[in-house]
Amino acid sequence: MNTGAFFDIDGTLHRNSLMIEHFKKLVKYEVIDPRLWHSSVKYTYKEWRKRVRDYEDYMLELIDIYIDALKGFRKDDLEFISNQVIKLNGEIVYKYTRDRIAWHQQQGHKVFFISGSPNFLVSKMAEKYAVDAYRGAQYLTDENGCFTGEVEPMWDPVSKEKAIDRLTEEFNIDLPSSYAYGDTRGDISMLQKTGHPVAINPTRELVDYLKKTPELRERARIIVERKDVIYTL
């Protein structure tokens, strides 16, 4: 059997969110009305930056706005912007996580990305880091290739658990010897299912969950990366 390493992307590898970077590029190139950002998204963003609101509440609100903004656009027409997101942001990552990906690959482990960002962005990030497979949120399109506003999520524990189960079967993964890396409550199922869970810059909710789950906390490592210093808690 193979050892696997399951990585979330946003907040775990990438220092922001691929979806947010894509949203900002759509505004910059005036693909979507800039007033959408300034009227709703910018306020939510500022509230989170000031630590007035929780990160996950902020992200869920942005996802709803983003999904609605994409509705009706052809996926292929946004390909240039999608490529720009990875070109300009693909290396804005946490050093710890980048090094862990390289270490797992050197060990011959199977490396996977499981992310709540759109699958069409996750696929490009997966190619950049040469991982074995990936799963992202599926933004559905109609027969003309236009976004319908329907999404099959990959940002919640249930969806990520299904993804990890399928990858485990497909790649013959031994979960007790495997690793998982995440930062929010959406990654809880990945952390629970593997023998070596790692919480990277975890949200308060994830830390609280670890405290309430002694069996998981006993196995888990908490990593905090700030500037050029990496702390293990």
Side-chain angles (χ1 to χ4, degrees):
M1 299 185 74
N2 297 309
T3 295
F6 302 87
F7 288 85
D8 172 55
I9 293 179
D10 301 329
T12 299
L13 171 61
H14 183 46
R15 297 209 304 263
N16 195 352
S17 159
L18 296 181
M19 181 204 73
I20 292 172
E21 294 301 333
H22 192 243
F23 200 136
K24 289 161 66 176
K25 291 290 186 297
L26 292 172
V27 171
K28 177 181 178 179
Y29 290 108
E30 298 185 348
V31 174
I32 61 176
D33 191 338
R35 289 176 296 181
L36 181 61
W37 174 270
H38 292 289
S39 64
S40 53
V41 180
K42 189 175 182 179
Y43 173 77
T44 304
Y45 181 70
K46 283 184 175 181
E47 290 291 284
W48 172 72
R49 288 292 296 270
K50 291 185 291 186
R51 300 300 192 263
V52 175
R53 300 178 57 182
D54 289 340
Y55 173 77
E56 294 179 68
D57 292 338
Y58 152 73
M59 284 300 299
L60 288 173
E61 184 173 326
L62 285 186
I63 286 170
D64 287 340
I65 299 170
Y66 176 77
I67 291 170
D68 190 60
L70 284 186
K71 189 175 180 179
F73 283 103
R74 290 186 71 250
K75 177 183 174 183
D76 291 347
D77 291 343
L78 303 181
E79 185 71 7
F80 170 77
I81 296 176
S82 299
N83 286 331
Q84 285 292 97
V85 169
I86 305 304
K87 179 180 179 181
L88 298 176
N89 297 277
E91 295 183 9
I92 303 177
V93 298
Y94 289 109
K95 180 180 185 299
Y96 174 85
T97 315
R98 182 186 62 211
D99 291 349
R100 291 301 291 176
I101 291 173
W103 180 81
H104 283 295
Q105 291 171 329
Q106 290 165 4
Q107 303 306 308
H109 298 167
K110 299 295 183 182
V111 179
F112 310 106
F113 285 167
I114 303 179
S115 171
S117 274
N119 202 55
F120 57 84
L121 296 176
V122 175
S123 65
K124 298 178 187 299
M125 200 71 162
E127 181 179 1
K128 179 175 180 63
Y129 286 91
V131 304
D132 293 278
Y134 61 89
R135 298 291 186 272
Q138 291 283 358
Y139 283 63
L140 305 184
T141 57
D142 61 20
E143 64 276 6
N144 298 314
C146 297
F147 291 111
T148 65
E150 298 175 277
V151 177
E152 295 176 357
M154 191 56 69
W155 51 75
D156 60 285
V158 174
S159 298
K160 290 199 172 189
E161 182 172 16
K162 291 178 180 178
I164 205 172
D165 286 345
R166 290 169 186 152
L167 290 168
T168 295
E169 182 178 358
E170 181 179 352
F171 289 87
N172 193 29
I173 299 298
D174 176 54
L175 288 176
S177 69
S178 293
Y179 299 72
Y181 301 83
D183 68 317
T184 71
R185 65 185 176 193
D187 303 312
I188 286 172
S189 58
M190 294 203 309
L191 300 176
Q192 286 178 321
K193 291 181 77 71
T194 54
H196 305 283
V198 183
I200 299 178
N201 298 325
T203 61
R204 181 179 60 195
E205 188 167 7
L206 179 54
V207 170
D208 289 344
Y209 184 85
L210 292 175
K211 289 179 179 179
K212 293 185 300 184
T213 316
E215 184 275 333
L216 179 58
R217 178 64 188 98
E218 186 176 317
R219 292 186 291 115
R221 297 176 67 196
I222 297 178
I223 301 294
V224 177
E225 181 174 330
R226 288 292 179 266
K227 297 182 179 178
D228 58 350
V229 181
I230 298 171
Y231 305 89
T232 301
L233 306 178

